Amino acid sequence: GDVYKRQGMQLMVKELGGNVTAATKKAEYGRAPIKIDLACELFSDVAPKHVERIKKLAGAMQKLGFKDNDRSAILSLNSDRYFEALYAAVWAGGIFVPINTRLAPPEIEFWLNDSESSLLFVDKVFAPVIEKSRSEGKIPSVKEIVYMSDDECPKNMHSYEKILLDANDIEDALRSKDDIAGLFYTGGTTGRSKGVMLSHTNLVSNSFNTITALNLPNDARWIHAAPMFHIADVTGAIAITHIAGQHYFIPSYTPEGVLKSVQDYKITDTLLVPTMINMLVHHPDINKYDLSSLRQITYGASPMPESVIIKAMEVIPECKFTHAYGMTECAPLITAAGPDCHVFEGPKANLFKSTGVAVPGVEVKIIDENDNEESVNNFLWYEDFSDSTTPNIITCLLYTSPSPRD
């Protein structure tokens, strides 16, 4: 049962040393040839030797002065180079910092400075923003900038492919266990964004949770349609790598991009939010595409309207759906409501509206203000809070180690 699964995953984490880069030699990835808009590149081909590129990129980063525990930020749309930059940072002994592409310039500057990122990867969409911030002296921590796009490299930046060409590959720094792998900033909805430090063990353990909860097969073909700066998609990047699956990338989400990618590349799995699924299943041309390869769509971040899931199950009948819930501080997956909850009759009817049950490797309990465990029967749950005058507040306590800055 779950105890066996938890013990099995703990053994696998121990065997891998809790190291994010341990499985990169087996994974494959490709570029889905979708042109989303004028700002995005036309991707093509499969890159079969990506681990060699990661090793060389890590060497190039060290050549630019990147050292152990340094932070490498990424401000870019989705691409295979984004994937390489994530892994190269930890391969070189450092920490990756994905930057939300929807931030305003002052927020980008805060993330870069607060994380003390010394190296920044940026594509042509966001290069003008960075050039302006740098010229005004607003990102003093950033010492070197790598330009990820294929067009002419701006002055005072390094061409991604050129530094690869000039670099020697290096051996994996073998950071592991409690070494920090990624620094993920929260949305800052109740104040300033805060950096969440996730270790190699955090991310590797959660990868195994994800593989088990989503029942990911070894032949999975995952399309990165959700933004790669978000920890949910980074989870996919690590989990699919661990099972030696294949990665495909489109710069940003459009229904047409996902539909064409699924058809042309026989995509089996992906992660979307409910609004994306709504746009997808109501696309007027959806029936013109062959979506028979699509095995499962995982979704989260907001409630799924019943009308949308009914439509989705109608137009993609062979596809399964899983509602995943998590939080950045938990690396991130906590619970999941799988395909067995996506039914409308019987004892599990409409359970897709819930956050599901704890995934293998995760334990969940409800505690009161004195840290005493509460029985679920002591709580009143409302399906509709709109007419209730009773505050429905549950305090969630996450125990973490103090920040090294505190």
Side-chain angles (χ1 to χ4, degrees), residues 249-325:
F249 307 86
I250 54 175
S252 57
Y253 175 82
T254 67
E256 298 86 353
V258 172
L259 291 170
K260 191 173 191 314
S261 297
V262 171
Q263 173 178 270
D264 293 353
Y265 293 92
K266 306 304 178 187
I267 300 300
T268 63
D269 295 82
T270 192
L271 169 76
L272 303 173
V273 299
T275 53
M276 292 177 176
I277 296 175
N278 186 34
M279 294 169 65
L280 189 77
V281 300
H282 286 97
H283 191 278
D285 294 330
I286 188 170
N287 291 326
K288 296 180 181 179
Y289 293 91
D290 178 4
L291 307 180
S292 58
S293 64
L294 201 53
R295 186 189 72 92
Q296 180 169 234
I297 294 176
T298 302
Y299 65 89
S302 63
M304 172 66 80
E306 184 173 335
S307 60
V308 174
I309 198 65
I310 290 174
K311 180 69 173 179
M313 294 171 72
E314 174 190 322
V315 298
I316 324 175
E318 297 177 2
C319 181
K320 298 177 181 178
F321 294 86
T322 292
H323 178 194
Y325 170 77

Side-chain angles (χ1 to χ4, degrees), residues 4-25:
Y4 171 80
K5 290 178 181 177
R6 282 198 294 271
Q7 291 175 343
M9 284 188 291
Q10 288 167 0
L11 288 173
M12 285 190 287
V13 171
K14 184 177 181 181
E15 181 181 344
L16 291 172
N19 179 269
V20 168
T21 58
T24 52
K25 293 181 180 180

Side-chain angles (χ1 to χ4, degrees), residues 10-153:
Q10 288 167 0
L11 288 173
M12 285 190 287
V13 171
K14 184 177 181 181
E15 181 181 344
L16 291 172
N19 179 269
V20 168
T21 58
T24 52
K25 293 181 180 180
K26 293 183 178 180
E28 300 178 6
Y29 67 99
R31 289 171 155 191
I34 310 299
K35 188 156 182 138
I36 302 301
D37 55 42
L38 294 177
C40 300
E41 302 165 18
L42 185 64
F43 290 169
S44 62
D45 298 330
V46 170
K49 296 182 179 179
H50 72 98
V51 71
E52 299 303 321
R53 287 173 59 86
I54 289 170
K55 290 163 69 174
K56 291 194 71 173
L57 182 58
M61 292 168 70
Q62 287 190 351
K63 195 173 178 180
L64 292 174
F66 192 75
K67 303 183 297 296
D68 286 355
N69 285 313
D70 278 0
R71 269 73 71 196
S72 171
I74 310 171
L75 179 61
S76 168
L77 299 179
N78 296 355
S79 73
D80 53 342
R81 290 173 183 160
Y82 200 122
F83 178 92
E84 292 170 350
L86 284 174
Y87 275 96
V90 291
W91 195 285
I95 301 166
F96 57 78
V97 186
I99 304 293
N100 189 329
T101 57
R102 298 163 185 160
L103 297 178
E107 295 169 311
I108 293 172
E109 293 159 4
F110 173 76
W111 283 28
L112 291 172
N113 293 326
D114 187 69
S115 64
E116 299 178 348
S117 294
S118 61
L119 184 62
L120 171 63
F121 288 87
V122 66
D123 68 4
K124 65 182 179 182
V125 179
F126 303 100
V129 174
I130 294 303
E131 285 183 296
K132 186 173 187 296
S133 294
R134 193 185 203 187
S135 67
E136 295 173 353
K138 293 181 178 180
I139 46 174
S141 71
V142 177
K143 307 305 180 187
E144 304 291 346
I145 301 175
V146 177
Y147 187 67
M148 302 172 74
S149 298
D150 287 326
D151 58 336
E152 184 178 356
C153 181

